[in-house]
Amino acid sequence: MTFASYFDYTGALGGPAAPPSAEFLAALDGEEWLRLLGYCTMLRLMAGDVVLPAGSASRVLHLVADGQLESVAPDGESISLPAGAVFGELTFLDGLPAPAEVRALSEAEVFCLSFEAFSVMGAREPNLARLVLLDLGRLLAARLRHQRAGR
Amino acid sequence: MTPLPVFPNYTQMRQPLPHRVWDWLRWGSIAFTLSVVALLVIWPRAGLWLVWGLLVPLLPALWLLAPGLWRNVCPIASIHQIPRFFGFTRGLTLPRRLREYGYVIGVAIFVAVVPARKLTFNENGPALAVLILGVLAAAFAGGLVFKGKGGWCSSGVCPLFPVQRVYGQTPFAVVPNSICRTCVGCAKNCYDFNPHVAYLADLHDPDDRYRAYRKVFAGGFPGLILAFYTSPVDLAWYGLYARFALFIAAGIGLFFLLETFVKVSTAKVAALFGAVAINLYYWYTFPLVAENFAEAVEADTPDALVWSVRTLVLAVSAVWLWRTYRKEQRFLAGESAPAGLAPRLSMAGSVAIKRAGLGRPEVTFPNEQRRVVVEPGRSLLEVVEQAGLKIESGCRMGVCGADPVAVVEGMDNCSPISAEERNTLERLGLASNTRMACVCRVRGDVSVSLAPERPKTFSSSVIAGANRDPEVKRVVIVGNGVAGVTAADHVRRRHPGAEIHLVARERHHLYNRMAIERLIYGRSAMQGLYLQAEQWYEDLAITTWLNTRATGIDRERRTVTLGTGESLPYDRLVLAMGSRSTVPAIEGFGLPGTFVLREADDAFAIRAYAQEHGCRAALVAGGGLLGLEAAHALHKLGLRVAVLERGGSLLRRQLDERGGELLRGFLEGLGLEIVTGAETVGVSGEGRLRQVTLKDGRTLPGDLLLVAAGVTPNIELAREAGLTVNRGVRVDDYLRTSDPVIYAAGDIAEHRGQVYGLWPVAAEQAQIVAVNCLAPGGAEKPYEGSIPSTLLKVVGVDMASVGQFDAPSAGAVVIVLEEPEARRYRKLVVQDGLLVGAILLGYPLLAPVVTAAVKRHADVSAMLPDLHAGRWETLERAPAGTPRPRVTPAAAGGGAPAPDAARRLRAGHLPAPRMPVSPPAPEVPVLRLRALGGPVDGASWEFAGSSGSLGRAGENAVGIPDASLSRRHALITYQEGVYWLHDPGSTNGTFVNEGRVNAPHPLRTGDRIRAGATELLVEVAGPGV
């Protein structure tokens, strides 16, 4: 886990600058979102349900529709995942085990985009899939920049 | 106004004083320090009193309460910043080693200097002055060379920095950094940038060593203070340092002990040690300070004051500790907050996602703790697969029995059980709440277990009062595929006392052959593929001969000879030997690296070969169902796959050209390469496959070739026994071979010239065989033939083809709807008002409705407008129709059975008219063309806002088999409410109302188009016309 976001020097370098948006797929309109969600599976969770076990290599991108989840690393560190949060993007992209367990803190609803469903989207709606990939890439690049700036 | 983040950085805080004021304060601080240095030299006693008796004791309190104030006016920092202030710093980035070890250097200096106080600096003013000047010079040099505050303050080289980090981690009053007008990013986790969280970030840093340096100091710090105040003054220097080392080591040891055994975070332990350190410090220091003051004013130190201060320090540090602990939670949670770059949904996404699941049924999997919200009409199999839960799949038609699940609650919310599913469920013999997941569709909330209850003993669903010939006591079945096992099951249901032998060439019990592709890319082997438990055969008293070949049939003595030398007498014999892969003439086939895929062992061999030889590229010869499913499996194994299709499009037996085109686009989107017009004629390579040669001379490199060119029925045993065979073993309408006590079912049976080669057909035939072979006279239940129904089991394709997809005659109605953007395509073929065939690409919810409607020859004559408008779900209500009488069956063994009607029509009659129609929308005018005379007299075509071509070739939207037409004779385009006719240069010309079309011509109702011998009447209907 890194905490580079607390040390976002880039905005301060040479004066204030707008930080990059962390919004996922801000360019999509409502209709496009519905098409994207059509490739997703919606899970309902009870408090305590584990949606992503630590070490799981299932390539699924998760979008929190409602409720509160938390990601808990093996050392006990936790990150809050409220409605609107997106998680699992690293494992979705590289297929390596998830570093932390994600569980629901309250009743919650989560949309899951599996890599297989994403492949289908790529074949059926390549433009939509391209936007998803590019935006994930943008967010990861921004995160990498922040980490570098924090070193 | 944007709210401040939980832990704002200094650029986001309000400065309490103008920068100019801070600058003057810093100059004042430098001047004051130099004055103290002078005092130390000139009047050491006063200087030492001032430094050790007043200034230094104040610092820990200041760092605890308002560390930012100190960091803004620290004289060392001020000196350090002079080169930057005047613009003569070299501004270099700190070298990597200094970045890593700066903190260690600072700690080392601090630990070295503190004991030295007792040896020198407590008593020697000039020495202390030199020390201070040395520190100031070093700080200045750091500022001269390095950028920002990296040369001293923030890199950790400053010996006071480690103490400030510990005490200053949770300031009571935050004074923002006033030194760095612009941040130059000179240090990691810069305290001046974000004082709230800098130390926490250090202690949560992913770098173990980076964290360890901080932990060592925090652990040793209380010990260092204790050593300072408890060490005797007369100790030799080495004894003093040894004592310090001992105390520090004890502290570090205790720190790591607590960290290991107490279930709290490192940051909490470090904060606890910080609180202990400051209490120890003032416990010992304050009495000394008070004493100094008392001496100065020649008074006694009141004990009450000492204890009051000690208590105050304890209270303040307790509050500080509590605030520090509380902060850590917000710090960790805040990493995913907007201040970070953890992705979060956009506003449009948040709104859409809230709506998406409203009012939908829920499927609960209690054992897996999963609740999935689903689209009504989805099959349980789709739901399970989407939820990422483990399940097998097979035919996806409810016939093979690969995917039984138990509906624990909500059976009423599931689709009803069909006859096919009922048969499968009875064969499996599981608990009564079992459903086949692939055909059980969700209509409301249900609760599902993926492990249906197995009975202790399997029993057959006995059919009471079954009509049977008392002379039939022994039934031998050759072949244990779905036809053989279904026949055995149904014989047992009708004849509990019969002796049943099942002879199997393969070494496996009945397994899910349709899922063998999974053996190529999946990790598991045969687990889950077996469709019946081994116990099932025992409980039903079906004697199974695995890995045993039937080598001969003695029809006179009614025995089957086995490869083991044994022979099995029979009263009735059922042949269900299935088929094998067809391998066309490919020169060199058999070279290592060349495969077919028919049995589980083939799949194992392919997977093993791909791994052993590190295969990268695979070629699949054959663009049929098996070829495409195998290609997808190889793709999932990680190989680059090219499908070589001999013809012009894919799935020619299931799809028309447009469907094939769309499927091709989809598969290419998934990552498969599709090569059409590619007939494989040879393979070559030294020792193993390296390249494939096509008929046109092209060569393609590849490590592995899988030939999927269809199947050949295993008829050799029947032929040698003298039974009538053609492509398969010929059977009559009761599935009898030319020997009335020998029956055939499945891939081996040729009925009315048709060898189906489909799993559901094999199961259907086997059930009829079981009835007839036991019935007196052997001919109780006729077989009327099957309507072929196929699915392509490639993820996301959602392809279903059922019945005839070409119009059987010119009077047929063909409805074609396409959504090009979504790559969805559907087609219905209606003959004499009855539904005779359909193609669906991308309509998984419609597939079961349409398939069932075609199979019952639904009468749709009254619902054509609905079907034209795309409302195909109405087919559920369409009544069953009566098909035209089929061709009279020929007797088995004699003359050739009559050819299948569809084949006859395809071979001898005109090609089907094709009508590409976009999804009809009421605002789009519809163009209708009706043939008046010519080879397709009476045929009609419709365009709804779409374009297409007219010509003699079959791929045209209006395809007319007229030799006087050019291949692509004319074009019809749609633009802003008008249909236009173009002639791209046809040989014989296109005419509208007898005027030759030389430029685009708008079409209106009543126009007559003449092209070759065909005249087409134009009708345009709809809005704007």
Side-chain angles (χ1 to χ4, degrees):
Chain A
M1 186 184 290
T2 68
F3 294 90
S5 62
Y6 290 120
F7 301 93
D8 173 14
Y9 301 146
T10 49
L13 285 171
S21 168
E23 279 195 355
F24 181 50
L25 293 174
L28 296 193
D29 61 24
E31 188 271 329
E32 289 167 320
W33 263 106
L34 285 176
R35 272 168 39 214
L36 170 65
L37 294 174
Y39 293 94
C40 298
T41 303
M42 184 182 177
L43 301 182
R44 283 212 176 107
L45 306 169
M46 304 284 285
D49 282 356
V50 173
V51 65
L52 182 66
S56 160
S58 72
R59 302 181 71 172
V60 180
L61 186 67
H62 296 81
L63 319 171
V64 182
D66 201 8
Q68 183 79 28
L69 288 84
E70 71 168 349
S71 159
V72 185
D75 62 3
E77 289 181 353
S78 69
I79 296 173
S80 169
L81 298 166
V86 179
F87 64 92
E89 67 275 16
L90 292 181
T91 303
F92 176 76
L93 289 172
D94 63 15
L96 295 177
E101 176 182 279
V102 178
R103 62 189 174 210
L105 293 175
S106 65
E107 286 202 356
E109 291 180 346
V110 175
F111 277 80
C112 306
L113 178 66
S114 70
F115 194 76
E116 203 160 59
F118 175 76
S119 302
V120 172
M121 190 206 297
R124 211 178 277 291
E125 301 193 60
N127 277 340
L128 194 56
R130 188 177 58 85
L131 282 174
V132 172
L133 268 192
L134 284 178
D135 217 42
L136 279 180
R138 179 187 66 79
L139 286 164
L140 294 176
R143 203 182 296 172
L144 190 61
R145 281 178 186 278
H146 278 238
Q147 283 174 355
R148 284 185 176 162
R151 264 180 210 144
Chain B
M1 183 180 159
T2 310
L4 275 182
V6 182
F7 300 115
N9 64 53
Y10 82 100
T11 65
Q12 297 164 317
M13 297 182 219
R14 196 177 63 82
Q15 274 292 349
L17 296 173
H19 281 291
R20 197 157 35 93
V21 175
W22 284 117
D23 289 340
W24 282 113
L25 287 173
R26 275 189 283 278
W27 286 116
S29 165
I30 293 171
F32 175 75
T33 304
L34 293 176
S35 304
V36 171
V37 168
L39 188 66
L40 284 167
V41 175
I42 298 163
W43 189 9
R45 184 178 159 75
L48 289 169
W49 183 90
L50 182 63
V51 173
W52 301 127
L54 180 64
L55 297 178
V56 171
L58 278 176
L59 287 180
L62 184 60
W63 292 339
L64 191 84
L65 298 172
L69 180 62
W70 166 256
R71 291 190 70 83
N72 277 342
V73 298
C74 166
I76 312 170
S78 303
I79 292 261
H80 173 58
Q81 288 298 297
I82 286 177
R84 185 183 182 190
F85 186 81
F86 287 108
F88 59 86
T89 176
R90 291 191 65 195
L92 301 182
T93 298
L94 219 56
R96 189 176 61 82
R97 293 218 175 260
L98 199 53
R99 259 184 297 163
E100 179 169 357
Y101 295 113
Y103 186 86
V104 180
I105 294 168
V107 169
I109 296 171
F110 183 74
V111 171
V113 166
V114 171
R117 274 183 63 182
K118 283 183 169 286
L119 299 172
T120 305
F121 299 120
N122 274 355
E123 306 293 336
N124 190 333
L128 182 58
V130 170
L131 175 69
I132 294 171
L133 284 176
V135 167
L136 293 176
F140 180 80
L144 204 58
V145 178
F146 299 113
K147 71 177 178 183
K149 295 178 80 176
W152 188 262
C153 309
S154 301
S155 61
V157 175
C158 171
L160 302 181
F161 177 78
V163 185
Q164 291 177 47
R165 282 283 220 204
V166 174
Y167 288 158
Q169 57 181 297
T170 311
F172 283 89
V174 178
V175 181
N177 172 14
S178 69
I179 292 178
C180 303
R181 307 284 166 85
T182 56
C183 174
V184 293
C186 62
K188 179 175 177 175
N189 300 346
C190 175
Y191 183 90
D192 296 306
F193 187 82
N194 198 330
H196 296 87
V197 293
Y199 194 54
L200 277 171
D202 279 354
L203 292 175
H204 285 87
D205 196 89
D207 182 341
D208 291 341
R209 281 187 294 184
Y210 186 87
R211 283 199 315 273
Y213 302 147
R214 274 80 184 161
K215 283 155 47 171
V216 164
F217 179 78
F221 189 39
L224 181 134
I225 294 170
L226 204 58
F228 181 82
Y229 288 107
T230 60
S231 297
V233 289
D234 53 352
L235 271 179
W237 70 269
Y238 48 85
L240 185 69
Y241 276 99
R243 188 180 165 88
F244 267 76
L246 193 67
F247 275 64
I248 291 170
I252 294 170
L254 184 62
F255 186 100
F256 281 94
L257 208 62
L258 286 175
E259 194 191 22
T260 306
F261 291 105
V262 180
K263 305 279 185 212
V264 294
S265 68
T266 301
K268 286 189 173 61
V269 179
L272 178 67
F273 273 61
V276 169
I278 202 161
N279 276 282
L280 283 174
Y281 180 76
Y282 283 110
W283 182 275
Y284 289 107
T285 293
F286 186 73
L288 298 175
V289 171
E291 201 175 311
N292 279 345
F293 271 92
E295 273 181 22
V297 295
E298 295 181 347
D300 292 332
T301 307
D303 279 353
L305 177 67
V306 172
W307 281 105
S308 299
V309 170
R310 283 174 172 171
T311 307
L312 180 67
V313 172
L314 185 65
V316 170
S317 62
V319 173
W320 174 87
L321 195 61
W322 175 74
R323 292 180 69 228
T324 304
Y325 282 9
R326 218 175 58 140
K327 183 180 68 173
E328 191 184 10
Q329 281 305 315
R330 284 181 290 144
F331 165 79
L332 293 171
E335 175 59 12
S336 64
L341 272 172
R344 63 182 194 280
L345 297 180
S346 66
M347 182 60 78
S350 297
V351 172
I353 210 167
K354 294 265 183 203
R355 286 185 192 160
L358 291 177
R360 292 192 166 184
E362 185 177 291
V363 179
T364 307
F365 300 94
N367 298 337
E368 289 74 20
Q369 294 185 341
R370 274 274 191 278
R371 290 193 297 158
V372 187
V373 179
V374 302
E375 201 178 350
R378 289 279 175 191
S379 72
L380 282 177
L381 178 62
E382 288 172 306
V383 176
V384 174
E385 287 176 335
Q386 284 172 1
L389 303 175
K390 197 170 164 52
I391 191 168
E392 293 295 335
S393 64
C395 65
R396 292 178 181 262
M397 294 176 185
V399 177
C400 71
D403 53 355
V405 295
V407 176
V408 182
E409 281 177 37
M411 188 64 97
D412 293 344
N413 290 330
C414 298
S415 56
I417 301 176
S418 67
E420 284 164 336
E421 187 188 359
R422 173 79 59 202
N423 261 323
T424 310
L425 293 170
E426 285 175 358
R427 189 190 83 212
L428 296 179
L430 301 172
S432 59
N433 63 351
T434 306
R435 294 294 306 265
M436 300 316 306
C438 57
V439 289
C440 177
R441 297 192 173 267
V442 179
R443 295 174 173 178
D445 291 355
V446 290
S447 179
V448 174
S449 164
L450 298 180
E453 206 178 318
R454 274 178 55 168
K456 286 185 181 167
T457 308
F458 287 98
S459 58
S460 184
S461 306
V462 177
I463 298 172
N467 193 15
R468 62 171 187 256
D469 184 341
E471 287 185 9
V472 179
K473 292 173 183 158
R474 288 170 299 191
V475 178
V476 173
I477 300 163
V478 184
N480 77 331
V482 68
V485 172
T486 304
D489 176 32
H490 281 258
V491 167
R492 175 59 73 229
R493 291 186 198 191
R494 294 173 171 275
H495 197 326
E499 184 182 328
I500 303 173
H501 290 267
L502 193 59
V503 181
R505 185 180 52 79
E506 282 192 81
R507 52 190 164 150
H508 306 289
H509 278 300
L510 172 65
Y511 61 88
N512 179 7
R513 199 183 295 279
M514 281 164 290
I516 57 172
E517 290 86 6
R518 181 174 66 67
L519 301 177
I520 294 178
Y521 64 82
R523 283 178 296 159
S524 56
M526 288 300 286
Q527 295 93 323
L529 283 193
Y530 291 113
L531 294 174
Q532 301 291 149
E534 202 168 338
Q535 188 196 334
W536 180 84
Y537 298 92
E538 292 169 16
D539 292 348
L540 267 64
I542 296 170
T543 308
T544 310
W545 300 72
L546 292 181
N547 201 12
T548 306
R549 286 169 190 270
T551 53
I553 302 170
D554 185 335
R555 289 168 55 193
E556 279 187 17
R557 297 173 63 190
R558 293 190 179 179
T559 58
V560 174
T561 310
L562 305 180
T564 56
E566 295 159 282
S567 62
L568 298 173
Y570 65 82
D571 298 318
R572 295 288 183 272
L573 174 64
V574 179
L575 301 180
M577 289 91 78
S579 55
R580 61 181 179 275
S581 295
T582 303
V583 180
I586 297 175
E587 192 183 340
F589 189 85
L591 187 69
T594 57
F595 296 92
V596 293
L597 180 60
R598 180 68 187 159
E599 299 175 356
D601 289 348
D602 296 331
F604 289 135
I606 291 169
R607 183 177 170 87
Y609 185 87
Q611 292 176 77
E612 278 168 24
H613 296 89
C615 295
R616 291 281 173 271
L619 301 162
V620 176
L625 284 171
L626 178 65
L628 295 182
E629 288 171 7
H632 186 240
L634 290 164
H635 175 68
K636 287 182 83 169
L637 185 63
L639 274 66
R640 204 175 64 244
V641 183
V643 177
L644 312 176
E645 166 55 41
R646 194 174 56 164
S649 65
L650 299 174
L651 294 186
R652 283 176 298 155
R653 295 178 67 181
Q654 288 81 23
L655 293 178
D656 59 7
E657 279 185 38
R658 182 60 186 149
E661 238 170 67
L662 288 168
L663 177 66
R664 176 183 184 147
F666 180 85
L667 294 174
E668 286 174 338
L670 279 184
L672 300 180
E673 187 186 349
I674 309 292
V675 187
T676 49
E679 184 176 346
T680 307
V681 294
V683 294
S684 56
E686 284 191 16
R688 67 186 180 98
L689 178 78
R690 290 295 184 192
Q691 99 180 357
V692 165
T693 307
L694 304 182
K695 193 175 183 181
D696 59 11
R698 279 181 291 170
T699 57
L700 299 170
D703 305 310
L704 191 153
L705 171 70
L706 194 158
V707 175
V711 292
T712 303
N714 294 318
I715 58 171
E716 291 75 10
L717 185 67
R719 181 195 288 138
E720 285 163 16
L723 298 174
T724 305
V725 296
N726 182 38
R727 189 169 166 238
V729 178
R730 285 185 171 171
V731 291
D732 64 11
D733 274 359
Y734 297 95
L735 299 174
R736 287 178 300 198
T737 66
S738 51
D739 182 333
V741 298
I742 301 178
Y743 293 76
D747 289 8
I748 195 176
E750 182 179 323
H751 176 254
R752 298 181 187 173
Q754 184 90 339
V755 176
Y756 289 96
L758 297 171
W759 187 291
V761 174
E764 184 186 351
Q765 290 178 345
Q767 290 169 37
I768 292 173
V769 162
V771 174
N772 291 332
C773 77
L774 295 178
E780 183 173 312
K781 187 174 181 181
Y783 174 64
E784 296 290 340
S786 299
I787 295 176
S789 166
T790 46
L791 300 170
L792 180 62
K793 292 174 277 296
V794 171
V795 63
V797 172
D798 296 323
M799 187 287 282
S801 171
V802 53
Q804 296 170 241
F805 57 83
D806 282 336
S809 73
V813 175
V814 180
I815 301 167
V816 179
L817 305 177
E818 184 179 340
E819 295 172 65
E821 280 185 13
R823 296 192 179 178
R824 303 212 298 177
Y825 176 78
R826 48 180 163 155
K827 178 178 185 177
L828 282 184
V829 181
V830 181
Q831 178 71 53
D832 303 325
L834 305 185
L835 200 54
V836 295
I839 291 173
L840 294 164
L841 258 178
Y843 296 91
L845 297 184
L846 277 181
V849 176
V850 174
T851 302
V854 174
K855 286 189 172 178
R856 67 173 185 274
H857 309 286
D859 183 347
V860 296
S861 48
M863 52 174 55
L864 285 176
D866 276 340
L867 300 180
H868 274 294
R871 293 187 286 273
W872 291 14
E873 64 282 358
T874 55
L875 285 172
E876 208 163 20
R877 301 195 300 270
T882 310
R884 281 189 301 182
R886 298 182 69 92
V887 178
T888 308
D900 172 79
R903 280 179 178 274
R904 180 173 59 84
L905 287 161
R906 275 204 294 277
H909 288 236
L910 67 151
R914 293 153 44 89
M915 296 184 285
V917 183
S918 291
E923 66 271 16
V924 179
V926 175
L927 168 71
R928 282 195 192 90
L929 301 177
R930 189 157 59 86
L932 306 173
V936 289
D937 184 22
S940 64
W941 297 263
E942 284 185 4
F943 291 75
S946 59
S947 304
S949 58
L950 180 157
R952 72 165 191 270
E955 68 264 23
N956 291 290
V958 182
I960 302 170
D962 178 350
S964 59
L965 291 179
S966 296
R967 189 173 177 78
R968 192 174 155 88
H969 194 96
L971 297 172
I972 295 162
T973 59
Y974 175 76
Q975 203 171 3
E976 295 176 359
V978 179
Y979 291 92
W980 297 81
L981 183 69
H982 313 246
D983 187 320
S986 65
T987 307
N988 296 323
T990 308
F991 301 83
V992 174
N993 303 329
E994 294 307 319
R996 182 155 188 160
V997 175
N998 295 316
H1001 186 95
L1003 293 175
R1004 297 186 180 86
T1005 298
D1007 283 348
R1008 285 169 182 257
I1009 301 171
R1010 186 166 61 77
T1014 303
E1015 193 170 34
L1016 300 166
L1017 181 64
V1018 174
E1019 187 188 335
V1020 186
V1025 178

